[in-house]
Amino acid sequence: MLSNFKAERSSASLDAFIEWLRESHHTGLAETIVRNKALSDELAKLLSVNHQDLVSRLNALQDQIASIASSIEGFGGLVDVLDATPKLSRQARSILRQIVESRAQYALEHKLSTGQPPEFLFIGGPASGEIRYDEPQFMNEDLDSLVVAGSSAVGGPLKQTSQVRAECWSRMSSVGN
C-alpha cells in the first residue's frame, strides 16, 4: 500500500498517507498507525524516500521473505505459486522504469552501422529520448523477459517494443547509415 500511495503522490506526508488509507477503506490500519508513535515515525521516514528507492527496498524485502518462507516446510509450494512471475534483471527493471516514466507508446530499436549497440527510441509520448542501458549483450534477453512478464500486467509499451523490434527494422535500416 505504501508503494501504491507513493506512486500516486511523489512527495506526501504521513497525514496524507493516513487519509489515503481511510479513503481506500483501510480505516483500521490508519487508526493503528495514528495510535502507535514508533510505527508513525518509521512510516514517516519511509515516506520521505523517493518512490524508486522505496520500490527497490520493498522488492528486496519481498525477496527475503519469500526466500525464508520457501525454506520452511509447507511454505515452499505456496511461495512458488504466489511468486510465479519471472525474475527481472536490474537492467530489465531499469528499462521498464524508463518506458513507464517516458509515457511513450513504444520504443523503437534503431540499429547503427557504426558498430555501436542499437538505440531504443521512445515513440508516441510527450517527451523524446531513448532507453539507457549498460549491458548491450543482455538487451534482447531483457526486452524478451519484459514482454513475457508484462504480457498481461503491463501491456502496451512492452508488447509494442517486441513488435517494433520484429517489424520495423527494415523500415529504419536506412536511417543513420
Side-chain angles (χ1 to χ4, degrees):
M1 285 188 274
L2 191 58
S3 178
N4 291 342
F5 171 74
K6 287 285 285 182
E8 292 176 17
R9 305 173 192 186
S10 61
S11 60
S13 67
L14 180 62
D15 291 334
F17 178 59
I18 292 169
E19 182 59 32
W20 180 83
L21 285 171
R22 289 179 177 137
E23 291 169 1
S24 302
H25 308 290
H26 296 287
T27 310
L29 182 55
E31 295 309 315
T32 299
I33 294 168
V34 169
R35 287 191 305 264
N36 187 323
K37 173 92 170 95
L39 179 58
S40 295
D41 291 345
E42 292 303 316
L43 285 172
K45 288 178 193 174
L46 283 174
L47 285 166
S48 69
V49 172
N50 79 44
H51 178 69
Q52 292 172 338
D53 191 29
L54 177 62
V55 168
S56 177
R57 291 178 189 186
L58 290 172
N59 286 339
L61 177 61
Q62 179 180 338
D63 291 347
Q64 289 296 318
I65 291 170
S67 176
I68 292 168
S70 66
S71 67
I72 298 172
E73 185 177 338
F75 287 95
L78 184 60
V79 169
D80 291 342
V81 169
L82 294 175
D83 193 27
T85 58
K87 297 294 182 204
L88 298 176
S89 70
R90 178 196 53 78
Q91 179 168 282
R93 289 190 307 270
S94 172
I95 293 165
L96 177 59
R97 186 178 314 112
Q98 292 174 64
I99 291 173
V100 170
E101 288 174 355
S102 76
R103 297 190 328 216
Q105 292 177 2
Y106 56 91
L108 176 72
E109 181 178 15
H110 176 217
K111 292 187 179 182
L112 305 172
S113 62
T114 62
Q116 295 296 321
E119 298 173 335
F120 294 86
L121 308 172
F122 297 129
I123 306 294
S128 62
E130 64 185 73
I131 295 173
R132 296 172 314 279
Y133 60 100
D134 298 325
E135 300 176 284
Q137 70 273 25
F138 299 117
M139 191 62 169
N140 286 333
E141 182 181 319
D142 287 334
L143 289 172
D144 290 343
S145 70
L146 287 169
V147 170
V148 169
S151 61
S152 60
V154 179
L158 298 179
K159 289 181 185 176
Q160 291 181 18
T161 298
S162 178
Q163 292 166 358
V164 166
R165 290 174 63 222
E167 298 168 8
C168 291
W169 165 237
S170 61
R171 286 185 273 157
M172 296 300 293
S173 61
S174 61
V175 176
N177 287 333

